[in-house]
Amino acid sequence: MKEKDFYGEIGNWDFSMINYTVEKLTDWDMYKEISSYTDENSLCLDLGTGGGEKAIKYYPKVGMLVATDF
C-alpha cells in the first residue's frame, strides 16, 4: 500500500496503528518541564507537532496554543 493511500484511509490522524520505537536519550520529560512554566495565560508554540494529539493532551490549560507541522 502506498503511504498516501494508507493515510487517506485513516483520515482522522490516528497514528495508533503505526509501529514505532521510543528511545529515551535524557532523564527529563519535555512536556512536564514546559508545563511547569505555563498556565491559563500562557501562549505556546509547538513546531513539528505532527497530528497535534500530544499538544492537545499536554497543554490543556494554556491560554493559546499554536501547533503546526510541515
Side-chain angles (χ1 to χ4, degrees):
M1 176 181 281
K2 292 182 179 179
E3 185 177 15
K4 180 179 182 279
D5 296 331
F6 175 77
Y7 290 113
E9 284 185 18
I10 292 175
N12 66 358
W13 293 99
D14 177 8
F15 296 108
S16 64
M17 296 171 30
I18 297 174
N19 295 324
Y20 62 91
T21 303
V22 174
E23 182 178 345
K24 189 169 182 173
L25 301 175
T26 64
D27 62 348
W28 58 277
D29 183 325
M30 177 186 75
Y31 295 108
K32 284 184 182 177
E33 194 68 28
I34 292 171
S35 294
S36 71
Y37 292 98
T38 59
D39 61 23
E40 306 80 35
N41 299 312
S42 298
L43 169 62
C44 292
L45 173 62
D46 187 348
L47 300 174
T49 194
E53 63 278 346
K54 285 187 178 179
I56 293 169
K57 179 179 178 182
Y58 290 108
Y59 304 114
K61 295 183 180 180
V62 297
M64 179 183 268
L65 172 64
V66 177
T68 187
D69 200 308
F70 180 69

